[in-house]
């Protein structure tokens, strides 16, 4: 019975204090009861309670005591206490004792109370709880327990309250939330408290005390999986990197901490850590050989961070791959990763169906991993890398996307240089941009220390000093040099007198004045000057003499289409294209019929077919615009007011000048029309839209000897569909628009799931053009059966297409379709109400 005495004494004393606080109104009795409850928390030599009594109170009665105090938060005796007494006797009970119990009670009270002084009191206590280091005490108390003493349900509840504290307080306080409860500050504080608990753990281990990091690891994992790994590791990663550099106990503590992270939260912890550390050395010191002992960690580091997720910076790739290459036991994983990366990079299906950003990410990882190989490992993987290089380059160079082709060229160059095949290195011609320069830089290892700036040697003049020299100084120095150096006279040309060329005449050739002369020159002349002059004046002659142009329009178009840049004329492609556009605009139907027929003819290259599409598109755009008249001399007078001389220079007009300046500086809310309205002009494209559109829809499914539109010529197919969509867009309000829309949807429907992203972009652009240009009533009448299926397809593309531009175009098409259908339904309802 003696062992029950402390328990009985504590239970009786607590019950007496509860009874006094519930019934008494005497301040002395209230203060005495609160002091009695405090005595069970005092641990000094002057404490009136025994260790057994304090343990019993903390284990059984502490939570009940705090809950009882919350139930009396509106009692008169609490309001009668002074501020100092309330802080010491009331608040002190929440800030002492087991911190986990106090936090649970505080969170429960905040969740139940509404906006009032009582809620403000609890918020103030919770704020003091956080700022007084009670979170560190909570985590440290869990470290001292080598075995969990509470139930799993209670532990999960405590974890949820710790992580969700910012959300709970924000939902209750709204705009009156405290700064320390905001997520950024709170999780920064939590990270600091966690570091304090880890530091105490290291010291305890050095003193020979056993500790457990299970709860700390669970807290870290739950915080990271909730999306707060950024502020946590922004504080923890630098500190852990420094502490693990020279202290083996810190390294063991970090390894044990990550080993105890639950499997379901391991990915969030590792991804947050790898983004926060400075390099592979620090990452290796913190996690050790976790990838060798934990399958989940191995999957995240060697597969998910490299092949599945592609949102991380290049530094993350350097950290992960450098970590795998830094240790002898982890290097087999580097070879495994390299094989997987080479297979993914060379996979033709991946090149066609994965986003371009992911392909760039895999290319970076491949180059970094190849650069980390040793010579023996490179010889072991030589055949696999060669197969990867040849197959992957073929897949990338076959793509119609320029960035993908450049990516294949750069990776191929780097791989061939690294393997050194028979002392031969691949070399491609491509434009240098940020992507290619970054890929090339990955083959250069980065040293850990930044190079120091070199000071200029004595006697060497900087470029700035050279530029600051005056011309007279430079001339004087050159003269002195020529006088002092006798050998300089041998190379000097000052003694030769210049040849008199004043009577020379420049040999110039007259530009052609007739269009037929240009045609004859382009057909038969071998003189580069005459050919260039003919090309430069041809467009002006076509536009200035319509009748002569119509007589030879088709013949001149044929010649221009077959003309090659044999003389390297500056701007040759632009000159040829603008002249063909002028011919198409001037004599529309014959030239259009010729170009659309030749598009599917034999013995043409892909470049010529693309030229035909570009000429037709530019001509259609010009025809759809109103005819521009010559500007009158009065136009643009207002833009020259800044050049008006000072009024004193011209006293006659100074009043007008001042008035004009006042008008320019005056702001008006409304202003009348300052220019007459534009004249209405007929649309020249609408009557001939069918001649541009329908001939291009014929023969697309008939492969020619040098041309297979539905086969391997993806670039031409994508450009053709985009051009047809442009024709459809320009035909808005034209009578033939409905017929064009039906034909275009039927054509693109067969290639809507094309493997090439450029073709899919063209298809979606064409669909947008149909919904934008086709009358809404025709959408419901003519395309009633196709609308539901089209809308379902667009929704699938908007959600799952790997190309970002395709997803955006699908969303725009859905918006346009919904607007057209809504407008048509509203019009039908309005007609029904009128009838």
């Amino acid at each position: 019975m003696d062992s029950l005495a402390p328990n009985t004494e504590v239970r009786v004393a607590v019950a007496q204090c509860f009874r006094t606080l519930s019934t008494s109104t005497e301040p002395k009795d209230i203060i005495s009861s609160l002091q009695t409850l405090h005595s069970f928390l005092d641990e000094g030599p002057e404490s009136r309670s025994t260790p057994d009594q304090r343990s019993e109170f903390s284990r059984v009665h502490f939570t009940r005591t705090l809950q009882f105090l919350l139930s009396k938060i509106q009692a008169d005796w609490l309001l009668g206490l002074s501020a100092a007494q309330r802080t010491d006797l009331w608040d002190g009970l929440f800030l002492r004792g087991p911190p986990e119990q106090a936090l649970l009670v505080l969170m429960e009270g905040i969740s139940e109370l509404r906006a009032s002084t009582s809620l403000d009191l609890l918020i103030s206590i919770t704020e003091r709880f956080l700022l007084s280091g009670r979170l560190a005490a909570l985590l440290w108390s869990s470290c001292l327990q080598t075995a969990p003493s509470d139930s799993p349900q209670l532990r999960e509840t405590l974890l949820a309250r710790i992580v969700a504290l910012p959300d709970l307080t924000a939902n209750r306080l709204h705009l009156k939330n405290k700064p320390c409860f905001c997520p950024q500050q709170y999780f920064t504080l939590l990270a600091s408290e966690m570091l304090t608990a880890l530091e105490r753990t290291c010291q305890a281990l050095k003193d020979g005390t056993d500790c457990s990091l299970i709860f700390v690891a669970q807290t870290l994992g739950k915080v990271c999986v909730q999306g707060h790994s950024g502020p946590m590791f922004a504080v923890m990663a630098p500190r852990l990197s420094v502490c693990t550099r020279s202290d083996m106990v810190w390294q063991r503590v970090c390894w044990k901490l990550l080993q105890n992270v639950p499997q379901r939260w391991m990915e969030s912890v590792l991804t947050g850590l790898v983004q926060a550390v400075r390099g592979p050395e620090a990452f290796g010191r913190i996690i050790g050989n976790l990838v060798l002992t934990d399958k989940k960690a191995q999957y995240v580091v060697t597969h998910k961070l490299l092949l599945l997720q592609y949102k991380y910076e290049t530094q993350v790739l350097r950290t992960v791959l450098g970590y795998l290459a830094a240790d002898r036991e982890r290097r087999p994983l580097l070879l495994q990763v390299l094989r997987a990366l080479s297979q993914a990079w060379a996979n033709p299906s991946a090149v066609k169906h994965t986003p371009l950003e992911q392909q760039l990410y895999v290319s970076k990882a491949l180059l970094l991993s190849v650069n980390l190989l040793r010579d023996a490992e490179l010889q072991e993987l030589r055949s696999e890398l060669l197969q990867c290089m040849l197959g992957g380059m073929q897949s990338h160079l076959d793509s119609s996307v320029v960035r993908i082709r450049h990516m294949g060229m750069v990776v191929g160059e780097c791989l061939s240089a690294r393997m050194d095949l028979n002392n031969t290195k691949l070399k491609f011609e491509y434009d240098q941009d940020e992507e290619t320069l970054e890929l090339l830089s990955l083959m250069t290892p980065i040293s850990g220390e930044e190079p120091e700036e070199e000071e200029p040697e004595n006697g060497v003049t900087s470029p700035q000093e050279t530029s600051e020299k005056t011309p007279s100084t430079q001339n004087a120095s050159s003269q002195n040099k020529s006088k002092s150096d006798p050998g300089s006279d041998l190379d000097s040309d000052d003694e030769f007198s210049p040849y008199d060329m004043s009577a020379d005449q420049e040999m110039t050739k007259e530009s052609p004045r007739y269009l037929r002369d240009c045609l004859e020159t382009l057909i038969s002349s071998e003189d580069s000057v005459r050919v260039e002059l003919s090309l430069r004046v041809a467009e002006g002659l076509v536009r200035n003499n319509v009748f002569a142009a119509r007589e030879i329009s088709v013949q001149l178009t044929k010649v221009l289409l077959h003309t090659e840049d044999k003389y390297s004329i500056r701007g040759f492609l632009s000159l040829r294209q603008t002249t063909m556009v002028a011919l198409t605009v001037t004599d529309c139907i014959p030239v259009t019929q010729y170009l659309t027929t030749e598009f599917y003819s034999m013995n043409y290259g892909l470049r010529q077919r693309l030229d035909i599409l570009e000429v037709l598109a530019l001509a259609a755009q010009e025809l759809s615009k109103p005819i521009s008249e010559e500007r009158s001399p009065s136009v643009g007078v207002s833009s020259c007011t800044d050049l008006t001389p000072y009024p004193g220079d011209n006293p006659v007009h100074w009043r007008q000048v001042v008035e004009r300046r006042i008008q320019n500086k005056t702001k008006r809310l409304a202003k009348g029309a300052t220019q007459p309205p534009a004249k209405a002009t007929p649309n020249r494209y609408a009557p001939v839209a069918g001649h541009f559109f329908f001939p291009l829809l014929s023969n697309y499914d008939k492969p020619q000897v040098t041309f297979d539109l539905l086969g391997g010529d993806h670039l031409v197919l994508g450009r053709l569909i985009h051009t047809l969509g442009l024709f459809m867009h320009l035909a808005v309000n034209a009578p033939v628009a409905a017929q064009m829309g039906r034909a275009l949807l039927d054509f693109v429907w067969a290639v809507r799931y094309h493997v090439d992203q450029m073709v899919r972009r063209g298809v979606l652009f064409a669909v947008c053009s149909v919904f934008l240009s086709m009358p809404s009533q025709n959408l419901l009448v003519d395309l009633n059966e196709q609308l539901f299926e089209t809308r379902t397809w667009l929704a699938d593309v908007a959600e799952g297409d790997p190309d970002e531009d395709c997803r955006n175009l699908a969303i725009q098409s859905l918006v346009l379709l919904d607007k057209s259908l809504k407008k048509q339904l509203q019009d039908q309802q309005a007609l029904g109400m009128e009838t």
Side-chain angles (χ1 to χ4, degrees):
M1 298 296 295
D2 293 339
S3 60
L4 298 177
N7 301 344
T8 304
E9 291 178 2
V10 173
R11 185 171 64 253
V12 170
V14 171
Q16 181 62 37
C17 291
F18 287 179
R19 190 178 305 109
T20 302
L21 295 175
S22 299
T23 59
S24 178
T25 58
E26 292 294 331
K28 293 182 179 180
D29 296 339
I30 299 297
I31 294 174
S32 176
S33 298
L34 293 176
Q35 290 176 345
T36 301
L37 294 175
H38 268 279
S39 66
F40 293 112
L41 299 176
D42 295 335
E43 297 182 355
E46 300 178 357
S47 177
R48 295 180 296 173
S49 60
T50 63
D52 293 338
Q53 291 177 340
R54 293 195 296 269
S55 176
E56 177 66 16
F57 179 80
S58 299
R59 186 176 61 86
V60 178
H61 301 283
F62 183 69
T63 299
R64 194 160 60 92
T65 300
L66 297 184
Q67 292 174 344
F68 174 79
L69 293 178
L70 286 183
S71 66
K72 300 299 180 182
I73 198 169
Q74 293 288 349
D76 295 335
W77 57 263
L78 178 60
L79 300 177
L81 296 176
S82 64
Q85 290 174 338
R86 187 177 61 186
T87 301
D88 184 31
L89 298 177
W90 173 278
D91 299 355
L93 286 172
F94 290 90
L95 301 178
R96 301 170 64 186
E100 65 277 2
Q101 299 183 39
L103 181 63
L104 290 175
V105 174
L106 287 172
M107 290 295 99
E108 182 181 0
I110 291 174
S111 301
E112 293 178 353
L113 292 178
R114 296 295 181 264
S116 61
T117 56
S118 301
L119 180 61
D120 294 340
L121 177 59
L122 282 189
I123 292 297
S124 176
I125 296 174
T126 306
E127 186 177 12
R128 289 180 58 193
F129 181 92
L130 296 180
L131 300 179
S132 60
R134 298 302 291 167
L135 279 178
L138 189 155
L139 297 172
W140 169 238
S141 64
S142 67
C143 295
L144 291 176
Q145 301 172 2
T146 56
S149 59
D150 50 8
S151 63
Q153 293 80 6
L154 180 61
R155 182 169 292 242
E156 285 293 332
T157 304
L158 181 60
L159 284 174
R161 292 293 183 268
I162 292 175
V163 177
L165 188 145
D167 299 329
L168 294 174
T169 55
N171 291 336
R172 187 60 62 199
L173 300 178
H174 302 291
L175 297 179
K176 297 181 180 179
N177 201 6
K178 298 289 185 179
C180 67
F181 296 150
C182 295
Q184 184 69 31
Q185 295 189 21
Y186 172 76
F187 289 108
T188 301
L189 173 66
L190 180 59
S192 300
E193 303 290 78
M194 193 171 292
L195 285 173
T196 302
L198 293 178
E199 187 173 358
R200 294 178 183 176
T201 301
C202 290
Q203 188 61 43
L205 292 176
K206 293 177 182 179
D207 295 338
T209 304
D210 292 338
C211 297
S212 173
L213 294 174
I214 294 178
F215 184 78
V216 179
Q218 291 175 348
T219 305
L220 178 62
K222 194 169 185 66
V223 169
C224 293
V225 83
Q226 294 286 343
H228 305 292
S229 60
M232 289 290 294
F233 284 114
V235 176
M236 295 183 65
R239 178 63 177 164
L240 295 179
S241 177
V242 172
C243 292
T244 55
R245 188 172 297 167
S246 58
D247 195 336
M248 189 59 194
V249 177
W250 264 103
Q251 292 186 17
R252 296 295 300 274
V253 167
C254 292
W255 300 348
K256 196 66 176 178
L257 174 68
L258 293 173
Q259 289 174 9
N260 287 326
V261 173
Q263 292 290 301
R264 61 186 184 277
W265 300 333
M266 180 65 73
E267 178 183 350
S268 302
V269 174
L270 289 177
T271 53
L273 178 62
V274 75
Q275 295 178 80
V277 294
R278 295 287 180 121
E281 295 83 6
F283 188 62
R285 291 196 306 268
I286 293 174
I287 73 169
N289 285 335
L290 185 66
V291 292
L292 301 178
T293 58
D294 191 296
K295 292 297 183 183
K296 179 71 173 185
Q298 183 181 124
Y299 173 75
V300 171
V301 172
T302 63
H303 188 77
K304 202 159 189 178
L305 286 175
L306 301 176
L307 292 171
L308 298 183
Q309 297 177 348
Y310 51 93
K311 60 182 179 180
Y312 304 110
E313 301 292 336
T314 308
Q315 181 59 36
V316 173
L317 292 174
R318 292 185 183 274
T319 300
V320 171
L321 295 171
Y323 161 75
L324 296 177
D327 186 78
R328 178 175 56 84
E329 297 180 357
R330 298 193 295 261
R331 286 197 73 87
L333 294 178
L334 176 65
L335 304 183
Q336 174 185 334
V337 164
L338 179 57
R339 290 188 175 94
L341 289 172
S342 61
Q343 293 175 4
W345 188 80
N347 189 353
S349 178
V351 175
K352 295 177 181 178
H353 297 98
T354 56
L356 192 146
E357 294 78 10
Q358 185 174 6
Q359 298 182 42
L360 179 62
Y361 188 82
V362 172
S363 300
K364 293 178 182 179
L366 177 61
L367 294 182
L368 286 172
S369 57
V370 169
N371 194 34
L372 292 171
L373 289 180
R374 297 168 181 165
D375 293 338
E377 296 168 339
L378 185 62
Q379 292 298 328
E380 178 185 349
L381 298 173
R382 192 182 187 88
S383 61
E384 297 181 28
L385 289 177
L386 180 60
Q387 184 179 1
C388 161
M389 182 182 72
L390 297 178
M393 284 176 52
Q394 181 66 35
S395 302
H396 283 76
L397 295 179
D398 287 344
S399 175
S400 59
V401 183
V402 177
R403 292 174 61 188
I404 294 180
R405 293 200 298 271
H406 288 176
M407 201 183 306
M409 295 176 188
V410 175
V411 175
E413 286 182 359
C414 295
L415 291 180
S416 66
R418 184 69 177 90
M419 290 187 292
D420 194 16
L421 300 171
N422 299 325
N423 295 324
T424 58
K425 298 179 181 180
L426 294 176
K427 188 62 180 176
F428 296 95
E429 293 183 1
Y430 51 85
D431 296 331
Q432 296 283 353
D433 53 17
E434 293 183 3
E435 285 186 5
T436 56
L437 291 176
E438 183 182 9
L439 288 173
L440 291 171
S441 66
L442 297 179
M443 298 302 291
T444 304
I446 297 180
S447 59
E449 299 179 358
E450 297 182 359
E452 298 180 357
E453 296 182 0
E454 297 181 0
E455 298 181 358
E457 298 178 359
N458 296 332
V460 179
T461 306
S462 64
Q464 183 177 2
E465 295 174 353
T466 305
S467 63
E468 290 176 355
K469 286 187 178 181
T470 60
S472 59
T473 306
Q474 295 178 357
N475 294 335
S477 61
S478 62
Q479 292 176 4
N480 295 333
K481 180 179 180 181
S482 62
K483 292 179 180 180
S484 61
D485 187 4
S488 62
D489 294 337
L490 299 177
D491 298 331
S492 177
D493 295 335
D494 294 341
E495 59 186 19
F496 297 105
S497 59
Y499 184 78
D500 185 13
M501 302 177 64
S502 59
D504 289 357
Q505 296 182 357
E506 184 180 358
M507 298 292 293
T508 58
K509 294 186 179 181
E510 185 178 358
S511 301
R513 290 183 295 174
Y514 297 98
L515 199 56
R516 286 192 178 274
D517 293 342
C518 294
L519 177 62
E520 294 297 331
T521 300
L522 294 176
I523 292 176
S524 58
S525 178
E526 297 293 335
D527 189 348
S528 61
V529 178
R530 290 185 60 194
V531 172
E532 181 176 358
L533 291 175
S534 299
L535 283 174
R536 295 195 180 281
V537 301
E539 180 191 5
L541 294 176
V542 169
R543 296 187 183 276
N544 293 331
N545 196 340
V546 177
F547 297 102
R550 288 178 176 174
E551 291 180 358
I552 60 172
S553 60
V554 176
Q555 187 178 3
L556 182 56
T557 302
K558 180 179 180 180
V559 171
L560 289 172
L561 185 61
H562 291 81
T563 301
E564 298 179 355
D565 189 13
K566 297 186 295 184
Y567 309 110
S568 300
I569 299 173
R570 182 170 56 87
F572 170 81
L573 295 177
S574 177
L575 294 172
R576 185 179 66 131
Q577 185 184 79
T578 53
T579 305
M580 294 173 69
V581 171
L583 289 168
T584 308
V585 173
T586 302
D587 197 12
C588 183
I589 295 179
V591 176
T592 303
Q593 289 177 348
Y594 169 74
L595 290 177
T596 54
T597 303
E598 294 300 305
F599 179 77
Y600 288 107
S601 298
M602 297 176 59
N603 300 325
Y604 280 98
L606 297 182
R607 178 67 262 175
Q608 291 172 304
R609 301 184 198 277
L610 293 177
D611 290 340
I612 291 174
L613 294 178
E614 291 177 1
V615 169
L616 291 174
L618 292 173
Q621 294 180 46
E622 183 176 343
L623 289 172
S624 65
K625 296 178 181 178
I627 301 175
S628 59
E629 299 179 357
E630 294 183 0
R631 296 179 61 187
S632 61
S634 61
V635 177
V637 171
S638 60
S639 62
C640 302
T641 54
D642 294 336
L643 301 178
T644 304
Y646 187 72
D649 298 336
N650 191 359
V652 179
H653 301 292
W654 70 270
R655 292 184 181 274
Q656 292 89 337
V657 173
V658 172
E659 183 65 24
R660 188 161 57 246
R661 290 182 177 177
I662 292 175
Q663 295 293 332
N664 291 336
K665 299 295 184 181
T666 304
K667 294 183 179 180
R668 293 177 173 83
L669 297 178
K671 192 172 183 181
T674 58
Q675 295 181 356
K679 279 180 154 186
T681 57
N683 189 339
R684 295 177 293 164
Y685 173 71
V688 296
H691 295 280
F692 283 83
F693 184 83
F694 291 107
L696 290 178
L697 286 178
S698 61
N699 300 325
Y700 67 87
D701 54 348
K702 295 179 180 179
Q704 306 294 336
V705 176
T706 60
F707 181 52
D708 187 4
L709 196 60
L710 297 182
D713 297 322
H714 300 163
L715 179 61
V716 183
L717 177 61
R719 190 68 63 85
L720 171 63
I721 297 175
H722 189 277
T723 305
L724 293 173
L726 179 63
F727 293 159
M728 183 70 217
H729 174 66
L730 297 176
V732 60
N733 299 324
V736 76
Q739 186 180 357
M740 291 172 61
R742 291 194 302 270
L744 184 57
L745 281 183
D746 290 339
F747 170 60
V748 301
W749 192 251
V751 292
R752 66 187 187 278
Y753 291 116
H754 202 279
V755 295
D756 193 276
Q757 57 186 352
M758 298 299 294
V759 177
R760 298 199 304 274
R761 290 180 190 176
V763 170
L764 291 165
F765 173 74
V767 173
C768 280
S769 301
V770 171
F771 293 155
L772 191 63
S773 304
M774 196 170 177
S776 56
Q777 61 269 20
N778 291 95
L779 283 177
L780 283 176
V781 175
D782 300 337
L783 304 177
N784 188 19
E785 299 179 356
Q786 302 179 10
L787 286 182
F788 178 76
E789 193 172 356
T790 302
R791 198 180 190 287
T792 304
W793 162 67
L794 289 174
D796 294 339
V797 173
E799 182 179 358
D801 196 279
D803 186 66
E804 183 179 2
D805 292 337
C806 291
R807 296 194 297 269
N808 294 334
L809 286 172
I811 294 173
Q812 294 178 14
S813 300
L814 286 172
V815 172
L816 292 174
L817 178 59
D818 291 343
K819 283 185 178 180
S820 299
L821 296 179
K822 183 177 180 181
K823 181 179 182 300
Q824 181 61 21
L825 292 176
Q826 290 176 351
D827 294 343
Q828 291 181 357
Q829 290 178 357
L831 290 175
M833 294 176 63
E834 291 178 359
T835 56

